Amino acid sequence: MKKWQRVGIVGAGTMGSGIAQVAAQAGREVVLVDASEEALERSERALSKVLARLVEKGRMTEEASQSIAQRIQRVANLDALSNCDVVIEAIVEDLDVKSTLFRQLEDLVTTETVLATNTSSLSVTALARACRHPERVLGLHFFNPAPLMALVEVVPALQTPTELAQHGVEEMAAWGKSPASAKDTPGFIVNRVARPFYSEGIRLLEEGVASVADIDASMRAQGFRMGPFELMDLIGHDVNYAVTSTVHQAFYGDSRYRPSHTQRQLVAANWLGRKTGRGFYQHNHAIGAATEGQVVEGVAERILSMLMNEAADAVFWQVASVEDIDLAMQKGVNYPKGLLAWADEWGIQELTNILDSFHQRYGEERYRVSPLLRDMARLGKTFY
Ligand code: NAI
């Protein structure tokens, strides 16, 4: 398949701008389109700043930074995308708006042009359906900030042939990213497997087992850069709550993904985290300084065991391979270790015992052991 030399990107917001930088750094020609001139200007200013800082720190030569900047053309009109090898959309997260865009693009581009979406929560398959050539559609899910987070989830629609998905993986590797292949299922890998990091954290708080600061400290002690509450405050509760709700609905209300009342209340109060000055923490003082806290026994064990169970279940349901799931959590959300390698370290039997004890105590479906772990424990198997 053809190398993606000429790359179109629609949407010059947070993600589109970052993806443009990644592609230009990989030597590709980029056409960045946004309906808003203001967004285009903002994106140009942001990139100049980033490149200047890289040069200042000696991480890039002046010439390299100039050629990267020159490789990105910014325009307000879709017409400039006509001879692109791939067009990646990073516009609003709305199926109808994205579908309309893809139909407009199909009128402009050649039949060989790949149409990719950076959606994090919509069905790539439903978006492909909007196209006359659904077989050209591929999910390329970058993480924020795209130039820094190595992971790209490569998500073929039901209609996408294997060769295109494989080509997407090779292209992302050539762009210097770490691609992980995922089935087109709610949340793909990261936004599904990471749910317990937040939801178990909140449950521990709701049960009064430990405080916000103590739960965060307990997770930092395991090597996580941030605990669940610091991280939710950074992401924003509106965004985090929306992702949880979307995944929950997409799984037909599976109680394992149920959003929490506590987080809904934060959203209702407009305590959205850092961006509004208040979330689980007060942020009006030094940003990020919030958190002294004590490690509380049992906290990390509960959150980690639930994460491992979720990761194992994703393998069981063939969402992705063991290696890609471990890679995704390390390169997309900076987990200190792959969850499945970590489960091997704990021992699969030990992990099922821990989960069984929760299941027995709460009687809730969310704590049931993944059938895969159950089988592995019985057969004495490990993931690696
Ligand atoms: P954003 O709001 O920063 O940027 C979106 C840009 O698209 C805006 O500049 C807007 O003017 C432009 N736009 C909207 N409709 C358009 C149209 N029809 N034609 C041309 N331009 C249009 O949004 P952000 O955060 O960059 O997200 C973009 C996409 O990436 C969404 O689908 C989002 O779910 C996904 N995503 C976001 C992540 C994040 O952390 N922000 C992470 C991974 C995926």
Side-chain angles (χ1 to χ4, degrees), residues 58-365:
R59 306 237 308 265
M60 189 182 277
T61 64
E62 178 64 36
E63 300 80 74
S65 89
Q66 277 175 14
S67 68
I68 289 168
Q70 280 160 9
R71 274 198 292 275
I72 305 179
Q73 182 197 344
R74 292 183 180 75
V75 286
N77 194 307
L78 293 175
D79 293 342
L81 298 170
S82 62
N83 54 353
C84 285
D85 302 309
V86 61
V87 179
I88 305 172
E89 73 74 22
I91 64 168
V92 285
E93 189 73 344
D94 181 302
L95 183 63
D96 289 337
V97 179
K98 286 186 194 293
S99 298
T100 305
L101 172 68
F102 271 21
R103 277 193 293 267
Q104 286 173 322
L105 288 173
E106 277 199 304
D107 289 335
L108 289 171
V109 300
T110 71
T111 41
E112 270 90 71
T113 304
V114 175
L115 296 183
T117 173
N118 187 46
T119 184
S120 31
S121 63
L122 301 170
S123 155
V124 180
T125 300
L127 188 54
R129 186 197 156 173
C131 296
R132 280 195 302 281
H133 291 281
E135 70 284 354
R136 63 160 88 204
V137 172
L138 186 64
L140 291 176
H141 184 213
F142 289 77
F143 287 72
N144 188 17
L148 297 183
M149 302 309 289
L151 180 68
V152 180
E153 292 177 333
V154 178
V155 187
L158 204 55
Q159 304 94 323
T160 314
T162 320
E163 302 79 66
L164 176 54
Q166 187 50 39
H167 189 60
V169 167
E170 284 157 19
E171 281 288 329
M172 290 303 99
W175 290 18
K177 306 313 271 181
S178 301
S181 302
K183 209 185 233 181
D184 186 18
T185 46
F188 310 134
I189 302 172
V190 168
N191 281 335
R192 169 191 192 135
V193 174
R195 278 1 285 160
F197 188 69
Y198 314 107
S199 62
E200 280 311 300
I202 294 175
R203 286 202 45 151
L204 285 160
L205 178 72
E206 289 172 341
E207 288 176 27
V209 173
S211 68
V212 162
D214 288 353
I215 294 169
D216 279 350
S218 301
M219 293 313 282
R220 283 199 306 273
Q222 296 291 325
F224 289 84
R225 290 194 195 163
M226 285 185 219
F229 300 105
E230 300 167 85
L231 184 54
M232 282 184 278
D233 271 12
L234 178 66
I235 294 169
H237 294 286
D238 49 346
V239 174
N240 191 266
Y241 183 71
V243 174
T244 312
S245 303
T246 309
V247 171
H248 181 237
Q249 280 160 23
F251 279 113
Y252 307 105
D254 185 331
S255 62
R256 281 189 302 153
Y257 304 107
R258 192 168 55 215
S260 85
H261 184 249
T262 297
Q263 195 170 34
R264 188 171 64 186
Q265 287 289 78
L266 290 180
V267 175
N270 201 39
W271 291 1
L272 303 182
R274 280 195 194 183
K275 61 185 166 193
T276 59
R278 175 146 200 190
F280 283 110
Y281 292 102
Q282 292 268 16
H283 296 278
N284 351 6
H285 312 296
I287 279 189
T291 51
E292 311 281 292
Q294 309 280 326
V295 171
V296 172
E297 207 193 309
V299 163
E301 184 184 81
R302 169 123 157 231
I303 296 175
L304 281 171
S305 60
M306 287 294 280
L307 285 168
M308 291 170 189
N309 197 32
E310 198 59 47
D313 228 32
V315 177
F316 181 68
W317 295 110
Q318 316 218 0
V319 173
S321 68
V322 168
E323 291 77 12
D324 278 1
I325 290 171
D326 274 0
L327 177 85
M329 303 314 285
Q330 292 175 91
K331 303 289 184 180
V333 273
N334 286 324
Y335 281 18
K337 238 183 264 184
L339 291 167
L340 299 167
W342 214 339
D344 277 353
E345 277 177 32
W346 279 21
I348 306 300
Q349 184 63 60
E350 173 65 15
L351 174 58
T352 61
N353 292 347
I354 292 168
L355 291 163
D356 277 339
S357 74
F358 298 143
H359 195 212
Q360 201 168 15
R361 172 157 190 239
Y362 294 99
E364 286 178 61
E365 159 77 12

Side-chain angles (χ1 to χ4, degrees), residues 366-377:
R366 64 190 280 120
Y367 297 107
R368 98 279 176 281
V369 175
S370 169
L372 177 64
L373 289 177
R374 189 73 77 203
D375 293 348
M376 288 173 69

